[in-house]
Amino acid sequence: MITGYREMPCAIAIDEPARIAALRRYGILDTPAEGAFDKVTDLVRTLFDVPISAVSLIDTERQWFKSITGLDISETARSMAFCDHAIRQDEPLVITDAQADPRFCDNPLVTGEPGIRSYAGVQLRTPDGHNLGSLCAIDTRPRTFSPEQMEVLKGLAPIVVEQMELRLLAERDHLSGALTRRAFIAELDKRIALFTRHRRPAALVLLDIDHFKQINDRYGHPAGDRVIEAVAALCKGLSRPSDAFGRIGGEEFGLLLPEAQEADALAVANRIRSAIERFEITNNPPLHVTASFGVATIGAGRMSSEAWLSAADAALYQAKRAGRNRAILAPIEAVRAA
């Protein structure tokens, strides 16, 4: 039987570095709202007759909401998060009256807006056993949650994790192993948000394989696929773990370089360009290809991923027009104006 706060389940040991690493692998933090998650929180809100429901994920210092209905916020401090208590136990966390619970009675979310009084949260547990957050129902009045309701919540939480798993699978291009265009743009959006909040630098490198259509026409599409695989492998091998590598479309790829300034990004582009030029791709006969590069750093003020891509793309096509097999840096003014 699921009970309220007076019978507190025993805490479990958490390997916090491993838990955070698991959370990072999903690449879900700071991504836009998605219907699959919003449908779950809408359903919880209806079935539980509560004003607020959320898919909450616990980062190192914050609670971030992949989906939240009934409350217009995207994150809170971790110290305020009911969910942070939920991930530290195996059983669902049920609070029938937060004002009467010593853990929460002084919480700003209880004493101020939105005035939380009752809470039911089920852990979002990964297949390898890490509690990343919770699916929760929140009310502004004291109340109990029936065993039947809690069974529903316990059944919906794994569906949220499944959506996270499916989202992860859908983010990878099957041929190159790179992020899909959609997933790569989500990474750009996250870096733009980080730049807006903390002014952290970043650079975008776009590369396009030169004369790729001629390779397909002359040697066939299987040879073209081998070229895509080889170029992608080279790029990933020359990237840092913190970088994001994506296939933008066809023979065009993107490399996102966090904390990189102009000179660093241009050096990375030329290092990859030189490696591609020297590499012999297995085929009959063996193939050699080159690639052209456009580089754009994040500009001042608010930007969009489309504008950032546009600036790097303009530099890329300038490299094509200048004779290919070279890297061109977009002026910062172009990034701001794009």
Side-chain angles (χ1 to χ4, degrees):
M1 179 177 177
I2 298 169
T3 57
Y5 71 90
R6 287 185 175 84
E7 295 183 19
M8 300 177 188
C10 294
I12 59 172
I14 292 180
D15 183 346
E16 183 67 0
R19 192 191 71 82
I20 291 296
L23 178 60
R24 294 282 190 268
R25 281 196 297 273
Y26 283 94
I28 196 170
L29 293 173
D30 297 308
T31 57
E34 295 178 59
F37 297 93
D38 291 342
K39 286 176 183 177
V40 174
T41 52
D42 284 338
L43 182 60
V44 170
R45 208 173 159 203
T46 299
L47 294 176
F48 281 64
D49 189 25
V50 293
I52 303 167
S53 176
V55 170
S56 166
L57 298 169
I58 297 297
D59 199 0
T60 52
E61 300 293 335
R62 62 174 176 157
Q63 167 182 232
W64 181 79
F65 301 110
K66 177 57 183 173
S67 174
I68 185 164
T69 56
L71 195 60
D72 188 22
I73 58 173
S74 61
E75 62 182 64
T76 74
R78 181 172 179 174
S79 60
M80 299 164 58
F82 283 56
C83 178
D84 191 40
H85 293 261
I87 67 169
R88 299 174 188 277
Q89 59 187 53
D90 278 328
E91 292 301 312
L93 176 64
V94 180
I95 309 298
T96 57
D97 187 351
Q99 288 185 346
D101 190 308
R103 296 170 295 174
F104 302 104
C105 59
D106 294 327
N107 189 303
L109 299 175
V110 176
T111 59
E113 292 295 328
I116 295 174
R117 292 294 296 275
S118 52
Y119 170 97
V122 173
Q123 297 79 9
L124 300 176
R125 187 169 295 130
T126 65
D128 53 352
H130 295 293
N131 290 341
L132 303 186
S134 70
L135 172 64
C136 57
I138 300 170
D139 209 335
T140 54
R141 58 190 172 93
R143 60 171 290 174
T144 59
F145 297 92
S146 71
E148 292 77 17
Q149 286 176 316
M150 293 308 302
E151 286 303 315
V152 170
L153 201 63
K154 288 167 70 176
L156 289 173
I159 294 175
V160 173
V161 177
E162 286 173 11
Q163 286 298 324
M164 293 170 63
E165 292 282 337
L166 290 171
R167 187 180 181 281
L168 185 61
L169 289 173
E171 287 181 345
R172 294 288 170 181
D173 173 62
H174 74 281
L175 179 61
S176 65
L179 294 172
T180 62
R181 180 185 178 90
R182 173 178 172 273
F184 187 73
I185 288 175
E187 292 296 318
L188 295 184
D189 288 335
K190 287 192 279 186
R191 294 309 306 183
I192 291 168
L194 195 59
F195 177 79
T196 302
R197 291 198 303 267
H198 304 297
R199 315 305 291 179
R200 303 309 307 171
L204 169 63
V205 176
L206 291 187
L207 68 105
D208 187 270
I209 300 170
D210 297 327
H211 303 299
F212 185 74
K213 184 177 184 300
Q214 294 179 16
I215 295 170
N216 279 333
D217 290 346
R218 183 172 181 181
Y219 300 106
H221 288 280
D225 287 349
R226 285 191 283 275
V227 169
I228 293 290
E229 291 172 332
V231 169
L234 276 174
C235 291
K236 288 184 286 187
L238 292 171
S239 302
R240 304 168 298 178
S242 59
D243 299 337
F245 178 66
R247 188 177 182 186
I248 306 302
E251 65 273 22
E252 186 174 5
F253 296 91
L255 182 62
L256 174 62
L257 305 173
E259 305 299 321
Q261 304 286 357
E262 288 183 349
D264 299 324
L266 194 59
V268 169
N270 275 310
R271 184 163 66 250
I272 295 173
R273 181 193 59 77
S274 179
I276 292 172
E277 183 181 25
R278 296 193 309 267
F279 191 72
E280 183 175 274
I281 299 167
T282 302
N283 191 62
N284 188 19
L287 296 174
H288 292 85
V289 298
T290 61
S292 301
F293 293 73
V295 180
T297 53
I298 257 183
R302 294 183 63 85
M303 293 181 55
S304 67
S305 54
E306 291 81 6
W308 200 0
L309 281 165
S310 177
D313 204 46
L316 166 62
Y317 279 94
Q318 185 180 346
K320 291 278 191 185
R321 290 191 297 270
R324 297 182 170 84
N325 190 24
R326 64 195 65 210
I328 299 290
L329 179 67
I332 191 64
E333 291 77 13
V335 182
R336 290 173 181 159

